[in-house]
Amino acid sequence: MTRRPAPHWPSVRGRGRADAGALLLTAAVITAVALLAGAVPALLRAAADDAVQDTVRRAGTDANVLVHADWERDDGPTGGRFRMSRLAEDVEDFRERAAFALGPDLDAALLPPIAVVNTPVLTITGGNLPRTFQLTYLADDLGGPDVTWIAGSAPGPTVPERSVEVPYNGPPWPVQVGLSEADAAALRLGPGDRLAVQDGQGNGKDVRISGIYRPADSADPAWRLAPALLRPAPGADGVGTTRFAGLLSRESLPDARLAFDQDQLRRTVHFAPEPGALTWGATATLAGQVVKLKAASGSSAVRDDSLKWESSLDSVLRDSRTQISAASVQAAVLLGGVLTATVLVLLLAADLLVRRRTPALAAARQRGAALPDLGAELVVESTMVALSAAAVGLVLARAAAPGVSWTWAVPVVLAGAVAGPTFGILAAARASRDRRQPANPAARRWILATGRLRRAAVEATLLIAALAAVVTLHQRGLLPVASDDDAGELTGDLVLPISAVALGALAGALVVLRLLPVGARFALRQSLRSRRPLAVFGAARAATTAARALPLLVLISATALASFALVVGATITRGLTDGAWSTVGADARLDVGADAASATPALAERIAAAPGVEQVVVAQVTDSARVFTESTPLTPRLVVVDAAAFARLLATTPLPDAPALARLATPGPGSADVPALVRSGGGDVPTGTRLQLSRDGGPAIRLTSVGTAPSVGGAGDVVIVDATALAEAGLPAVPNTVWVTGSGAAQAVSATGVAADVVLRTDVQRVQRAAPLTAGTLRLAWTAAIVVLALGLLGLTLAAAAGASERWQTLSRLRTLGLRPRDARWVAAGELLPPVVVAAVCGPLLGALLAHLTLGPLELRLLTGQAADPATVLPWWLLGLFGATLVATAAAVVPVEAALRRRDRLSEVLRAGE
C-alpha cells in the first residue's frame, strides 16, 4: 500500500520564517507580473472597442448601410404620366420596410434611418465657373430636418389638384425648391426666381425658388447626407466644380418626379452606424449580417421595388478587426517576452533559495525524512506563495483595468509553484545519494558523455523549436484566420509563431552560453602567461563560474527581450512620423477649394514669402482620375506637378526620394505622348506601357509610363505627370494643392483667408498616435522594455548572491595568503563582470537580430498608418544604455558584497569545510 505524503508542518513554518526575504521577493515578482499580465488583455479589449468606434467615426458616410428601390411606374390611363400626390408616404413606407429587413442586431447598432431622394446632377447654365445643382428630399423619423424660412415659404405643389396626368413630351414640369442662405447668396437668387439648369442631354428644367431657409441645427445627421443643402460643396462633381442643392418638401416631391424621366429620381435609405453601440465582440456578427443583406439584395437590372442593399460597413469592420487582431498578437509577443524573463528569474530565485536550504534539507534526509514528504512540504509552501501573490496581482489588475484575465498569469504561477520544490527535491536527493563514483575511467567518461548528450538534446530541441517558430511566423504570419464566428481570442495555431521572439532569445542565449566557457578558458590561458596575479585569480574565478548556465541565460535573454521591446516602440514611433509625412506630403498641405483654385499660384507666392517657409510646391491632385491602359481601366490619383520642384521637395524631407521624376522632363517615345510615373497597388506597371487620360470635351491624352511613381498621400494607385508637359499636350493644370515645408509652414497656411482645407503633419501624427490601439501598443512596448530590464537586473543580483558565499570564501582564503582587501574586490569584479559584459554586448545585438527577423510579420503598418511596413529602427543609444546599466549594476555589487563581508573572520574561513 502506497503511503501518502505526510508534511512536517513545524518544518514548513520554520523554513518559511528563515527564508522570508527570499519568499517575499518571489511573491513580489509574481504580483507585479500578474498585475501586468492580468490588466493588459482587459485594457486591450477596451481599446479594441474604442478602436472599432474610432474607425467607424473616421469612415463617416462610407460606413453607412444603404438600400435602394425603384419607384412604381407612374403611367397614366391616357398615355401620360400621373402625378402621384402620396409620393412622400411611399418614401416613408419604403423607409419602414428597410428598417424591418435589418434584423434586431443591425437595428440596435444603427441609427434611425434617413430617406434621401435625389435627382440627377444638373448643370447651371451661365457663368464662367462649372457649377452643378441637385434637388434633394430628406425624411427621417420626424419628417425631416427642421428649418426656418427667413424669406419666402416652403416649396409647394405646382398645381392645386392632387392628381393630374401630364403628357410625356410636354414642356418641362415646374418644381419648387428652397435654397439655404449660403447657396442663395452664391447664386444671387431669391424667392420667386428661376434657376436656369439643364441635364446631361441639354434638356432644360423648370426649377423655381420658393424660399430661403436657415437650418435649426446644422449638425443634424440628415444634413451630412447632402452637405450642399447647407452651403456650396466644392469638388463634389469633380475638380473645379461646385455643387449647389435645392430642398424639396413633401408637397413638391411629386412635381420633382414629373420633372424627370421615370428612372432618374433615385430614392435611398441611409442607416448610419451608432459608434457607441459597436463593440469588438459584435463586429463579426454585424459584418456577416451586412454581407447576407447584400447577398439577398435584389438585382439592379430589375426595375421593381425590391430592396437593393449597398454598404461598406462590412469592409470597415473587417479592416478594424484586422487592425485589432494585429494589435492583439503584438501585445501577445511582448507579453510572451515578459513572461519568459519572469519564469527565468523565478527559476534563478528558486535556485538561490535551494542553495541556502541545501544543508537543512540534507539534515532532514539524514534524520529520516522521505523525499515525498519533503516534496509535499516544499509544494505547499511554494503554492501558497505563488497563488496568494498572483491573487493580489489580479486584484490590483482588476482595480486598474476594466476587467482582468488570468490566462497569462498561469505560466508565472506554475513557475513559482514548481521551480522551488523541483530544485529542492533534487538537492535533497543528491545530498543523501549513496551512489559512489565508479573507479573505472571508462565508466566515468560514460557518465560524463551521458550528461553532455542530455544537455545537447535539450539545447537542440530548443534550437529546433526556435527555428520552427521563426519559419512559421514568416510562412503563416500572426494574423488569425478570419471567420464570422471568431470571438477575437488568440487561437492555438498562433502559439508557436507568437513564441518566436522568446524562443529566439533563449536559443541565442544558449549559443552564447556554449561559447562563453571557451572564451573564459582562453582568457585564463592568456592570463597565466602574465605577471599579474590578480588577472590570474579573476580569470580563474570567471572560468569556474562560466559553466553556470542559468544566470547567463537570464541575463542574455532578459537583455535581448528588453531590447526587442525597445526596438518595437522606437519603430512604431518612427513609423508614425513617416506615416504622417506620407499622408500630408510636407509639413503642411493646403487643399484649395474649387472657387479659389484659380488663385492658387498667387496664394503659393504669398505663402512662400511668409517667415519660416522653406519650400512651396503647387500641384493639381485629382482622385479617381479616368485613366485607361490597353486592357484595364484605372482610377488612380492623378498628380500634375512641376517635376523638378517635386523632386526637390522629396529630397529635402524624410519622404523617399524619386529619381525617376527626372525622366518626366524628357518627351515620350511618341511625339504626342506625355511621360508619366505610374504606381499601381495591383502590381508594377512596366516601363513603356501606354495609357490614356480621358478629359471632357476633347480627345484623350496619351501617356507613357517611364518609371514607378512615389506614393502620394498614401494612395495605392498614383499617376504623376509634369505640369509643363501636360500643358503642351493641351491640358493646362489648375493647381488645387499646396505643399509647404519649414518651421513656419503651419502658421503660413492657416492665415491664407481662402476657402481651403488645412492639413498639418503634426496634427495627423498626433491623431494617429492617440488612436486607441496605437497608444496602447506603444505604452505596452515601453512598459515591457522597462519591466524586462528590471527583471534582468534582479536576475543579475540573484546570480551574484547565489555565488557570493563561495566567491568570498575563496577570496578570504586568498587574503590569508597576503591578498589585500582592495585586490580581493578586483578579483571579485573579474569574476562578475565578464559574463555581464557579454550579456550587455550580446543581448542588445540579439534583440536587434530578433527585431530584424520578426517585425515584418508583426504588421506594425496597421498601427502606423503606412502603406508598407515601417523600417526597423535601432535606438543604439538606448540599447547601449541598457548594457551600461547592467555593467554598472554588476560593478555596484562588488563594493556592496565587500562591505557585507568585511566582518568575516579569517579563522572561521579557514575552519570552513572541516
Side-chain angles (χ1 to χ4, degrees):
M1 180 176 174
T2 304
R3 185 180 70 87
R4 302 176 63 179
H8 186 250
W9 298 110
S11 298
V12 175
R13 290 190 293 270
R15 280 194 293 267
R17 287 192 297 268
D19 299 316
L23 294 176
L24 287 176
L25 178 62
T26 301
V29 172
I30 295 176
T31 299
V33 178
L35 167 62
L36 181 64
V40 166
L43 292 173
L44 182 61
R45 283 194 294 270
D49 293 341
D50 294 339
V52 171
Q53 298 168 10
D54 182 64
T55 302
V56 171
R57 288 191 185 96
R58 292 190 186 188
T61 56
D62 291 339
N64 287 2
V65 178
L66 281 64
V67 56
H68 312 284
D70 291 321
W71 301 90
E72 179 185 358
R73 291 189 62 86
D74 57 3
D75 297 322
T78 61
R81 295 182 62 189
F82 197 71
R83 185 180 185 276
M84 304 176 67
S85 59
R86 292 181 53 85
L87 211 59
E89 286 77 0
D90 288 347
V91 172
E92 183 64 24
D93 293 341
F94 168 48
R95 197 173 64 88
E96 293 177 356
R97 186 158 56 100
F100 179 78
L102 284 178
D105 293 333
L106 273 177
D107 185 63
L110 301 177
L111 292 171
I114 300 174
V116 180
V117 180
N118 283 323
T119 67
V121 177
L122 307 173
T123 301
I124 300 177
T125 59
N128 298 324
L129 297 177
R131 298 176 298 173
T132 59
F133 192 80
Q134 188 175 41
L135 285 67
T136 302
Y137 172 76
L138 300 175
D140 54 17
D141 287 343
L142 301 178
D146 291 335
V147 297
T148 301
W149 295 96
I150 59 176
S153 61
T158 300
V159 294
E161 296 85 356
R162 295 179 55 86
S163 299
V164 64
E165 185 176 355
V166 299
Y168 267 101
N169 298 323
W173 188 261
V175 57
Q176 296 184 15
V177 298
L179 291 180
S180 66
E181 288 183 279
D183 283 3
L187 294 173
R188 298 180 180 179
L189 295 176
D193 293 337
R194 295 190 180 188
L195 180 62
V197 293
Q198 63 183 17
D199 59 16
Q201 288 73 39
N203 300 318
K205 302 296 179 182
D206 189 358
V207 178
R208 304 176 182 183
I209 311 302
S210 68
I212 300 174
Y213 62 86
R214 178 182 300 157
D217 181 12
S218 59
D220 191 301
W223 298 119
R224 302 175 193 167
L225 305 178
L229 287 173
L230 294 180
R231 62 188 62 87
D237 299 302
V239 175
T241 65
T242 303
R243 178 186 290 183
F244 300 84
L247 181 65
L248 295 168
S249 66
R250 296 174 63 91
E251 291 75 17
S252 64
L253 180 60
D255 298 315
R257 177 77 190 279
L258 290 178
F260 295 86
D261 292 341
Q262 287 273 6
D263 56 351
Q264 286 188 326
L265 205 63
R266 185 179 179 86
R267 58 175 178 172
T268 305
V269 174
H270 294 252
F271 295 89
E274 173 57 56
L278 299 176
T279 62
W280 155 240
T283 53
T285 301
L286 295 178
Q289 291 182 353
V290 173
V291 171
K292 290 179 181 178
L293 284 176
K294 293 194 293 185
S297 177
S299 173
S300 59
V302 179
R303 297 295 180 180
D304 58 13
D305 61 351
S306 61
L307 301 182
K308 302 172 182 64
W309 297 91
E310 173 191 346
S311 179
S312 298
L313 179 60
D314 54 329
S315 300
V316 172
L317 295 179
R318 193 179 301 114
D319 292 343
S320 177
R321 286 176 60 81
T322 301
Q323 188 181 30
I324 293 170
S325 297
S328 298
V329 295
Q330 291 157 9
V333 169
L334 294 172
L335 274 182
V338 174
L339 296 186
T340 300
T342 304
V343 169
L344 292 175
V345 169
L346 291 177
L347 292 177
L348 193 57
D351 179 65
L352 173 61
L353 183 61
V354 169
R355 283 174 180 269
R356 294 181 176 180
R357 288 181 171 179
T358 297
L361 294 175
R365 284 287 289 159
Q366 293 172 359
R367 291 194 300 268
L371 285 178
D373 297 340
L374 285 177
E377 294 173 5
L378 295 175
V379 167
V380 169
E381 177 190 72
S382 61
T383 302
M384 292 178 60
V385 171
L387 289 179
S388 59
V392 172
L394 293 178
V395 169
L396 294 176
R398 182 62 184 87
V404 67
S405 174
W406 55 268
T407 306
W408 286 94
V410 171
V412 178
V413 175
L414 288 178
V418 174
T422 301
F423 290 164
I425 292 174
L426 292 176
R430 284 193 296 265
S432 58
R433 185 170 57 190
D434 57 357
R435 188 175 67 178
R436 297 181 179 180
Q437 185 75 7
N440 187 355
R444 290 198 298 269
R445 287 194 298 270
W446 175 262
I447 294 175
L448 182 60
T450 302
R452 290 176 177 173
L453 285 175
R454 289 173 178 170
R455 177 178 176 180
V458 173
E459 293 176 350
T461 302
L462 184 58
L463 290 174
I464 292 173
L467 181 61
V470 174
V471 171
T472 305
L473 177 65
H474 282 270
Q475 294 293 328
R476 186 208 177 279
L478 279 174
L479 294 181
V481 179
S483 61
D484 291 341
D485 57 350
D486 183 15
E489 299 295 335
L490 298 177
T491 53
D493 60 332
L494 290 174
V495 173
L496 186 60
I498 284 176
S499 307
V501 174
L503 292 175
L506 292 175
L510 285 179
V511 173
V512 177
L513 187 62
R514 277 292 187 177
L515 298 177
L516 182 61
V518 178
R521 289 193 295 268
F522 176 77
L524 178 58
R525 286 195 299 269
Q526 293 298 115
S527 65
L528 289 175
R529 301 177 182 177
S530 70
R531 298 180 179 180
R532 298 178 180 178
L534 295 183
V536 177
F537 294 150
R541 290 298 305 164
T544 301
T545 58
R548 294 183 58 194
L550 189 56
L552 190 62
L553 193 65
V554 172
L555 289 179
I556 296 179
S557 299
T559 310
L561 292 172
S563 301
F564 173 80
L566 195 65
V567 172
V568 170
T571 301
I572 294 176
T573 302
R574 175 68 64 81
L576 291 172
T577 302
D578 294 343
W581 275 104
S582 177
T583 300
V584 180
D587 288 312
R589 189 184 74 227
L590 203 64
D591 297 330
V592 183
D595 294 340
S598 59
T600 301
L603 175 64
E605 294 179 0
R606 192 164 69 248
I607 293 176
V613 173
E614 297 177 1
Q615 288 193 74
V616 177
V617 177
V618 298
Q620 177 181 339
V621 180
T622 306
D623 289 328
S624 300
R626 293 174 295 174
V627 177
F628 299 86
T629 65
E630 295 179 354
S631 58
T632 312
L634 304 175
T635 55
R637 173 171 292 174
L638 176 64
V639 180
V640 184
V641 66
D642 183 346
F646 193 49
R648 288 194 300 270
L649 175 70
L650 297 181
T652 56
T653 61
L655 293 169
D657 294 339
L661 286 169
R663 305 174 193 169
L664 298 182
T666 60
S671 58
D673 287 353
V674 177
L677 300 182
V678 184
R679 182 186 191 91
S680 175
D684 293 336
V685 176
T687 301
T689 302
R690 298 291 183 88
L691 304 96
Q692 289 188 351
L693 173 62
S694 300
R695 57 173 174 169
D696 296 332
I701 295 178
R702 295 193 301 175
L703 309 177
T704 299
S705 173
V706 296
T708 302
S711 177
V712 178
D717 298 335
V718 178
V719 174
I720 301 179
V721 295
D722 183 69
T724 303
L726 192 64
E728 292 176 353
L731 184 60
V734 181
N736 61 352
T737 300
V738 182
W739 288 301
V740 187
T741 63
S743 58
Q747 184 176 358
V749 299
S750 300
T752 58
V754 299
D757 293 331
V758 177
V759 184
L760 302 180
R761 178 182 55 83
T762 53
D763 291 346
V764 172
Q765 182 176 347
R766 183 176 61 254
V767 170
Q768 188 66 28
R769 188 186 184 91
L773 293 179
T774 305
T777 305
L778 263 179
R779 285 194 295 265
L780 179 59
W782 301 128
T783 302
I786 295 173
V787 170
V788 176
L789 177 62
L791 290 172
L793 296 177
L794 178 59
L796 171 61
T797 306
L798 293 176
S805 178
E806 179 184 356
R807 177 168 55 254
W808 287 97
Q809 188 179 65
T810 302
L811 293 177
S812 297
R813 289 174 178 174
L814 290 176
R815 285 178 57 196
T816 62
L817 300 178
L819 189 69
R820 295 177 298 177
R822 179 181 178 182
D823 296 336
R825 289 194 293 271
W826 280 109
V827 173
E831 175 185 347
L832 287 176
L833 285 179
V836 175
V837 171
V838 169
V841 173
C842 296
L845 293 178
L846 180 57
L849 176 62
L850 291 174
H852 176 72
L853 293 176
T854 60
L855 282 191
L858 280 182
E859 304 284 354
L860 294 180
R861 60 182 176 79
L862 297 176
L863 297 182
T864 60
Q866 296 173 274
D869 292 325
T872 302
V873 177
L874 301 178
W876 289 114
W877 70 276
L878 285 177
L879 298 179
L881 181 62
F882 275 18
T885 303
L886 278 180
V887 175
T889 303
V893 167
V894 176
V896 172
E897 285 187 349
L900 295 176
R901 300 281 177 172
R902 184 178 300 172
R903 297 180 181 274
D904 290 351
R905 297 181 179 180
L906 296 182
S907 58
E908 296 177 356
V909 174
L910 293 174
R911 287 197 299 270
E914 293 182 356

